Amino acid sequence: MPEFPLPAARPPRVAITPPRALLAILAVATLAGCASAPPAPAARSAAVAHATEAAPVATPCPKDIAAIARCLSGQDTAGAYYLIAVPTQWNQHLVLHAHGGPTLGTPKAERSVEDLERWQIMVRAGYAWAGSTFRQGGVEVRAAAEDTERLRQIFVQHVAQPRRTILHGQSWGASVAAKGAEMFQRTADGKRPYDAVLLTSGVLAGGTRSYDFRTDLRVVYQYLCNNHPRPTEAQYPLHIGLPADAAMTQADLAARLNECLGLNKPAAERTPEQQRKVKTIVDVIRIPASSIQGHMNWATFLFRDVVQHRTGGASPFGNMGVVYKGSADDAALNAGVLRYRADPQAVARFAADTDPTGRIPVPVLTVKGVDDPTAFVELDAQFKATMERGGSAARLVQTFTQHNTHSYLSDPTYPTLMNALLRWVDEGAKPTPEGIASACAAQEARYGKGCAFLPAYVPAPLGSRVYERQRP
């Protein structure tokens, strides 16, 4: 993408050098973070493999599957809660589920109940289902992958040995599943822990690329609204999300967004100025107005979690070199937005935890709604390139649907994909998007309408949706 010519009289504001006091704090935080850096994958794998886990206990199933399944629950040795459902008419296959989000704060057992309620289609289709809350909130992919593998071991030791185990990742959990499939390739007896991987509505470009547009949203919003932070409040680099001690809540942030953009009102009831600003964000950041609030939450609270707890106090996010387009005055916008450089060490730490390598030894099937407002369809183009670089291109099949939702597509979609994966594993019959689309129609008689596969669809490169930028 060519550089945007900036007027000499209005050079871009660059906020990349924090005050000395902040530099000292960041230096101490960085050293502390390095001292507690996560162990190498081999060490982590061994820790999971040698843990001794208590047996789960019987627990009531969610009401919608109570008549067709038995449920078990527990808390593992790392502190993660989990829930298991085994249908009465079990087909001997296990779906090991990595949930989306991530949420912040201490995990609660209720999270797995909510996940099972959402994914009850798997149980209704005859699959056993197991899902972990993960041991902690926030963005830590390897730890979540460990928790998921620990749950697989609990199932095998205390419930049953499934004939096939499919690792399923949804949304952010797709990155957990992809990383887990890379980390755990053999069990102690030399077998594959996972027979195949299903990635649905996935955030699949890794942390160092998947969240770039949220950095862009944060700086463009501040250029337009200048209330996060307000001029009267302590200033801080926007790419850290929030200062560690900031007391802002999601309700506080929503109030500021409503003040500037009127997001709590129908579009027709917003002032002309609010409509103009919303349109600028939609056109420049290329997201629907309905998702501005959610992405701003991410760019505020999740960014703080990443910086404070995952990358040693420095930010892996930046927007240097970005040329923003689509506003009424792009020259003014590019001259006026704050600019930040991603810290090289923070990027390296974040990449090691969140970026897939594409070295997955088993079949991988993905699905994404082409109008997904949360995880852009172009992320899947980046994942395909990653799988090609990792030598796994032949083990990847990508499918796309006409859906414009993120969290759940439709009931017949998922059994169709599971059937295709199992045929691939058992018979060597690699699926095609055309075959999956045809097979889905046959599932509607049992699971209801909802098939919307687009066999010919090919996503554009990620750079066509998210601005290119300078990287360390």
Side-chain angles (χ1 to χ4, degrees):
M1 187 177 291
E3 287 295 322
F4 194 93
L6 300 176
R10 295 188 63 187
R13 294 183 289 160
V14 179
I16 58 175
T17 306
R20 291 184 180 180
L22 180 56
L23 282 174
I25 294 172
L26 293 178
V28 172
T30 301
L31 289 174
C34 292
S36 59
R44 284 172 164 257
S45 301
V48 172
H50 292 120
T52 299
E53 300 292 335
V57 297
T59 192
C61 287
K63 62 179 182 180
D64 288 343
I65 61 169
I68 64 168
R70 65 186 179 97
C71 290
L72 305 164
S73 65
Q75 187 175 22
D76 68 21
T77 54
Y81 297 97
Y82 62 84
L83 183 61
I84 295 169
V86 182
T88 304
Q89 301 297 320
W90 183 30
N91 62 14
Q92 304 301 307
H93 303 310
L94 169 65
V95 173
L96 192 62
H97 178 78
H99 70 69
T103 53
L104 296 176
T106 303
K108 299 179 180 179
E110 291 81 1
R111 172 61 202 250
S112 283
V113 177
E114 295 168 2
D115 289 332
L116 177 53
E117 288 175 339
R118 176 178 295 174
W119 295 99
Q120 61 180 273
I121 187 63
M122 297 297 192
V123 179
R124 287 166 50 202
Y127 299 94
W129 183 95
S132 170
T133 64
F134 309 143
R135 74 189 78 167
Q136 61 188 7
V139 184
E140 189 159 359
V141 173
R142 286 184 176 273
E146 291 174 357
D147 297 337
T148 303
E149 166 59 14
R150 187 177 300 107
L151 178 54
R152 184 196 67 81
Q153 295 180 21
I154 291 171
F155 189 95
V156 170
Q157 180 179 356
H158 296 294
V159 182
Q161 176 66 59
R163 192 169 77 82
R164 297 296 186 194
T165 298
I166 307 299
L167 181 57
H168 173 220
Q170 159 70 14
S171 185
W172 176 76
S175 66
V176 174
K179 183 63 73 174
E182 296 172 1
M183 292 170 59
F184 302 103
Q185 298 193 6
R186 294 288 180 184
T187 62
D189 57 3
K191 297 180 180 178
R192 297 283 188 203
Y194 316 124
D195 296 290
V197 180
L198 175 63
L199 306 175
T200 63
S201 305
V203 179
L204 291 170
T208 60
R209 288 184 180 270
S210 294
Y211 311 135
D212 285 340
F213 78 99
R214 286 171 171 149
T215 305
D216 299 335
L217 172 61
R218 190 70 195 276
V219 299
V220 171
Y221 174 85
Q222 187 68 359
Y223 170 79
L224 294 170
C225 298
N226 200 30
N227 70 356
H228 185 32
R230 301 182 191 279
T232 56
E233 296 173 328
Q235 303 299 294
Y236 57 87
L238 300 182
H239 70 332
I240 70 169
L242 275 178
D245 59 352
M248 174 177 278
T249 66
Q250 287 192 15
D252 295 333
L253 176 58
R256 296 192 186 206
L257 268 65
N258 292 334
E259 168 192 304
C260 180
L261 304 178
L263 296 181
N264 59 333
K265 303 175 183 177
E269 295 180 13
R270 295 170 188 153
T271 68
E273 183 67 6
Q274 288 173 335
Q275 292 179 17
R276 181 188 68 81
K277 290 178 179 179
V278 170
K279 184 178 188 304
T280 298
I281 291 174
V282 169
D283 292 346
V284 174
I285 308 301
R286 304 158 185 170
I287 58 175
S290 59
S291 68
I292 292 174
Q293 176 75 61
H295 290 309
M296 281 292 288
N297 283 339
W298 236 102
T300 301
F301 304 106
L302 272 295
F303 273 26
R304 175 171 63 178
D305 176 80
V306 169
V307 171
Q308 298 300 325
H309 301 298
R310 322 298 172 193
T311 58
S315 178
F317 310 115
N319 69 328
M320 296 300 291
V322 172
V323 181
Y324 297 105
K325 297 181 180 180
S327 70
D329 189 341
D330 288 344
L333 174 63
N334 281 281
V337 295
L338 290 163
R339 302 281 178 171
Y340 302 96
R341 286 195 179 96
D343 179 86
Q345 291 185 340
V347 171
R349 288 172 66 104
F350 201 42
D353 184 61
T354 67
D355 287 5
T357 66
R359 294 189 288 272
I360 298 177
V362 296
V364 180
L365 183 56
T366 73
V367 66
K368 173 73 66 66
V370 298
D371 294 316
D372 188 322
T374 300
F376 301 153
V377 70
E378 292 83 2
L379 294 170
D380 288 51
Q382 187 73 24
F383 183 65
K384 181 179 179 181
T386 298
M387 292 287 280
E388 290 170 346
R389 288 195 301 270
S392 301
R395 291 185 288 276
L396 173 67
V397 172
Q398 295 181 301
T399 66
F400 302 93
T401 73
Q402 192 59 70
H403 295 102
N404 61 358
T405 55
H406 173 68
S407 295
Y408 194 84
L409 300 179
S410 72
D411 282 358
T413 296
Y414 303 104
T416 300
L417 295 169
M418 290 294 295
N419 289 344
L421 262 181
L422 288 171
R423 284 195 65 225
W424 193 358
V425 172
D426 290 337
E427 303 172 20
K430 184 176 180 178
T432 65
E434 295 79 7
I436 288 174
S438 177
C440 189
Q443 296 291 334
E444 289 186 329
R446 179 178 178 184
Y447 299 111
K449 296 292 185 181
C451 294
F453 284 97
L454 300 172
Y457 184 84
V458 177
L462 183 59
S464 69
R465 179 71 175 266
V466 179
Y467 298 100
E468 299 288 359
R469 63 204 63 221
Q470 297 172 11
R471 300 184 186 278

